[in-house]
Each structure stands twice: as C-alpha cells, then as structure tokens.
Amino acid sequence: MAALLHVRFTSPSLPSPVRRRSSCRPAATPTRIYAKIREIFMPALSSTMTEGKIVSWVKSEGDRLAKGESVVVVESDKADMDVETFYDGFLAAIMVEEGGVAPVGSAIALLAESEDEIALAKSQASSSSSSSPVAAPVADSPAPSQAPTPPPSQTVPPPPRASPASASLSAHPASEGGQRIVATPFAKKLAKELKVDLAVVTGTGPQGRIVAKDVEAATASGSTVPREPKTVAETGAAKVPTSPIIQLGSVVPFTTMQGAVSKNMVESLSVPTFRVGYTITTNALDELYKKIKPKGVTMTALLAKATAMALIKHPVVNSSCRDGKSFTYNSSINIAVAVAIDGGLITPVLQDADKVDIYSLSRKWKELVDKARAKQLQPHEYNTGTFTLSNLGMFGVDRFDAILPPGTGAIMAVGASQPTVVASKDGRIGLMNQMQVNVTADHRVIYGSDLAAFLQTLAQIIENPKDLTM
C-alpha cells in the first residue's frame, strides 16, 4: 500500500492571510478563497527512518494532482515506496530532485491550490532553497583530490550521474543476468501499461535504477517489444551476470540502506554477546527436502520452520532486551532471514512461523524475497523479527559467526551441509551429511545452558523432521 503524502501549510508573504474560512458554510453564500500553498515534506516511512532519498518524481512541476495519486517514489532505509497525496492541487515546485536526500520532516516540494499560485510557490521555493539548501544530485565535474569532510548535520550528496556519452560504461543495466529488473514501482507499472520491455531499458536513476522517464524515453525510441532470450548455442557461451564498473580509489557515500545497516551494526556493539556452535546431521532433512521440493518448498522455509518449533520449547531464546533493565518474552515467533540485495542487506520476516504449514511458509518466503529485491517490503515485513537466521551454506561456507541485530535476542548462522566421515555410537565408520550452526546471543538475557538446550532440540527436529510437514 502506498504511503500518504504529508503536507503542511506554509506562510508566504501575501497581502491576505494564507488560510480558508470555515468550510462549514451555507451553499448559497459565496466564500472568498485566499491563496493557499502547502509544503510537502519528507515522510517517515518506518520507525528507524531519519532521512529519505527521492528515487523518482511521478509527477512534474505544473501537473494537476488529485487526492490519492502517486506523486513521488521515496527510498527509505529498507524499501522504495510510492507516496500519495490526500489533497487536490498543482505540483508547483520540486525542491529536492531525483537522487536527492532530505531529512524526515523537511520540505521536498510545494503544492499550490490553483494555477495562479504556481509562480508564487516557485518564488517561495527559490528563496527557501537558497537559505537552507537540501542535498541533491551534483552536476558532472571532476572530483577534487581531497574533499573536505562535511559536518555531521550535512547530508552528503550522491555521486554525480554519468553523462550520456559514458552511460553505457558507468550505469549498470536494469536486468542483472536477465533474472531481475531494478526499477521503481511506478516505472514497472508504467512499463506494463506501455508494454515496454524493461530488460532493454538503461536506468538513469540512482545506482542505475530505471525510473519513469526512462520508460517514457524507451517508448519514444520504440523499445517496446520483449526480446527473445538467446540460447547458449546462439551466443557461444552462457551469459555471465555483469557488475557495474568500479572506479578504484573513488570514495562512494553510503546509500540509505547501507547507512541503516552501518548504524545497526555499530549499535550492536553495545550488547554483550557470546557464541555457541553445534553440529547437526542433515541426512533426514535432505531426504525430506528432495521429496517436497517439487511442491515449492524451499530449504530456507524448512530451516525457519524447524527453528520456530524449537523456539516453542525455549521461549527465552526468542526473548529480547531493549532497555538493559528488563526483557520481553515475545508472544509471537517471527523468523527473520537475512537476504543480500543490491547495496545492502535486509531481513524479511516469516511471521508466526511456528503456526504456518511448510507449504504456505514457502510461498510466503518467495513472495517476501521478490518484494525485498524490488525494494517493496512494508516496514512490518522486515522489522518485526524476534529471531534471525543467516544462511551462507549455498555459497559453500561451512561455518561463520553472525552479528546480533539490535532489539533481538539471538541470531543463528547456518553453514553448508557437507558429507563428513563420522563414527557411529556402535563404533562403525560411516559417511553422514552434517552442517555447522553458530548462534550469537545477548548474554544479558540468554545464557550458555539456554542455547545448548535450544540447539539440542533443534538438532532433534532436523534429524527427525517428520513433524515439519504436519
């Protein structure tokens, strides 16, 4: 659901007051309407958001706006969201351009009630921007060898956008390996309406993201027919996903998401943590996975379900301490799973994982991953986790430690399941699939014996997983 656009009244220098008289008036009595200009300001799209980036303006200066229309796409610390207006009027002046960053609560545009007030609003925006500039994309210019460090209160502008001549070198394509399109929600919607193939569109937005004007440009150039995928025989080799060209030695400011991740990681240093590792045999789980994978079940869902079932018996491991003076036994078991996306990390949450069947849980996980990669997760879909999973097993990593996310009690790092020569209890030597898990926990609330008991229960569930499909 799109967010509502926040507006507030401004007070331009006018000969008459900038306000209406009471709207409750007799229909037959004409009421004079004075000039009214509303200030559109950066909304808070999540509880942790302190600033937002303008991904794209859906409307242009001078456009008429109707209540409920999308006006701008804003990037918060974790997602891109279409922001709607609940007032009619005209988008008189844009004060923060695409790619610009503004603190929550600061003005990003002015909304005029009538066309006659657009000029006045633009004048007001010009005087406002000259007195208190907001960070915006800078023009193309050579970077100095040593740039002064801005004060903490100043927002650092994003890197300059590449010139058209070098766009093919510096802007990465929207389609990464033909698997995913990096575009704003409005651009995707517009492309669908205009039947534009986003795979052939080069994005000019932040970090190469496709914005609405790129789709409109593609329409004008005739790039509306989807391309037929080429086979390996046609290309001579399988297509390898490409990455944006990195200029060595360059200094790149954090994206909004990277800034949020950095803040959380620094905050986690204030929590006294400890780690406990455990080896779990996965033969039975691997066999179960082979049987139910054709039905759409993912290994992530299986691990999340097994973890949730173990947490039922060990609620202290699902607890959290936020003030250092007390802790909360969370009433729900919400498993957050770390997912790497462009420019950062996010943790989509499988809510009530202990109560949802494995098939529904898998469908929900696929939906969350798709939304995460499109940067369309709603706040409750990524900030309500009570226990976190981080899995690097698909990369062949056998063991690692994870950093505890603020506000949670524990996070479990899952390594790859690998064939291992082991000795059975009767003294025989055999080959078993085993994986290493390491749990990082808040030692103010959770103790070593708590984690040991939890991991024993988790191992029993994974080694005898029949209950996971019930």
Side-chain angles (χ1 to χ4, degrees), residues 53 99-101 134-138 150 154-160 251-254:
K53 178 184 290 185
V101 177
V134 180
V138 296
Q154 183 178 349
T155 306
V156 180
V251 178
V252 181
F254 279 162

Side-chain angles (χ1 to χ4, degrees), residues 12 14 16-20 33-37 113-114 117 120:
L14 298 172
S16 57
V18 186
R19 62 182 65 180
R20 287 180 186 266
I33 300 176
Y34 295 96
K36 181 187 289 183
I37 298 173
E113 187 177 70
S114 67
E117 294 150 7
L120 179 63

Side-chain angles (χ1 to χ4, degrees), residues 153-167:
S153 61
Q154 183 178 349
T155 306
V156 180
R161 192 175 289 175
S163 62
S166 61

Side-chain angles (χ1 to χ4, degrees), residues 307-463:
T307 301
M309 292 175 63
L311 289 173
I312 294 174
K313 300 180 180 180
H314 305 278
V316 69
V317 183
N318 192 52
S319 65
S320 57
C321 174
R322 291 181 172 83
D323 58 5
K325 300 177 182 179
S326 62
F327 66 97
T328 302
Y329 285 109
N330 292 302
S331 56
S332 299
I333 297 178
N334 299 335
I335 306 298
V337 185
V339 174
I341 60 175
D342 283 343
L345 180 75
I346 197 167
T347 52
V349 177
L350 289 166
Q351 298 184 3
D352 295 317
D354 57 316
K355 301 175 182 177
V356 180
D357 67 86
I358 191 63
Y359 304 101
S360 299
L361 203 64
S362 293
R363 288 192 295 270
K364 183 63 178 178
W365 176 243
K366 290 180 179 178
E367 175 190 332
L368 289 171
V369 170
D370 288 341
K371 293 178 70 174
R373 288 176 174 166
K375 300 192 71 177
Q376 294 178 344
L377 286 175
Q378 299 298 309
H380 71 276
E381 293 176 319
Y382 62 78
N383 64 10
T384 56
T386 59
F387 186 96
T388 307
L389 286 179
S390 181
N391 183 8
L392 292 179
M394 70 284 291
F395 297 106
V397 175
D398 60 354
R399 70 188 69 194
F400 68 102
D401 290 327
I403 299 177
L404 182 68
T408 59
I411 179 172
M412 185 165 69
V414 181
S417 176
Q418 298 178 331
T420 308
V421 177
V422 298
S424 62
K425 293 181 179 179
D426 59 3
R428 296 183 179 182
I429 301 296
L431 195 65
M432 304 290 285
N433 292 334
Q434 293 186 332
M435 71 178 183
Q436 303 287 331
V437 297
N438 289 325
V439 181
T440 302
D442 184 345
H443 213 327
R444 297 173 300 177
V445 181
I446 303 169
Y447 303 132
S449 58
D450 297 321
L451 280 191
F454 162 75
L455 288 170
Q456 283 181 337
T457 302
L458 178 64
Q460 291 170 2
I461 294 172
I462 290 178
E463 292 171 1

Side-chain angles (χ1 to χ4, degrees), residues 106-128:
S106 64
I108 59 175
L110 294 180
L111 180 71
E113 187 177 70
S114 67
E115 283 187 280
D116 296 337
E117 294 150 7
I118 292 179
L120 179 63
K122 286 186 175 181
S123 175
Q124 181 181 333
S126 299
S127 60
S128 175

Side-chain angles (χ1 to χ4, degrees), residues 15-61:
S16 57
V18 186
R19 62 182 65 180
R20 287 180 186 266
R21 295 187 179 181
S22 173
S23 59
C24 299
R25 59 183 185 278
T29 304
T31 301
R32 181 179 179 184
I33 300 176
Y34 295 96
K36 181 187 289 183
I37 298 173
R38 293 185 172 94
E39 191 178 66
I40 302 173
F41 61 96
M42 179 64 72
L45 302 179
S46 72
S47 59
T48 58
M49 178 176 168
T50 59
E51 63 182 17
K53 178 184 290 185
I54 304 298
V55 176
S56 65
W57 283 97
V58 179
K59 298 293 184 179
S60 302
E61 288 186 351

Side-chain angles (χ1 to χ4, degrees), residues 74-138:
V74 173
E75 178 188 40
S76 69
D77 50 0
K78 296 292 184 181
D80 290 353
M81 295 186 67
D82 283 281
V83 182
E84 300 174 349
T85 177
F86 45 73
Y87 286 99
D88 296 334
F90 294 85
L91 183 58
I94 293 175
M95 302 171 68
V96 183
E97 297 294 336
E98 293 182 358
V101 177
V104 168
S106 64
I108 59 175
L110 294 180
L111 180 71
E113 187 177 70
S114 67
E115 283 187 280
D116 296 337
E117 294 150 7
I118 292 179
L120 179 63
K122 286 186 175 181
S123 175
Q124 181 181 333
S126 299
S127 60
S128 175
S129 61
S130 61
S131 60
S132 56
V134 180
V138 296

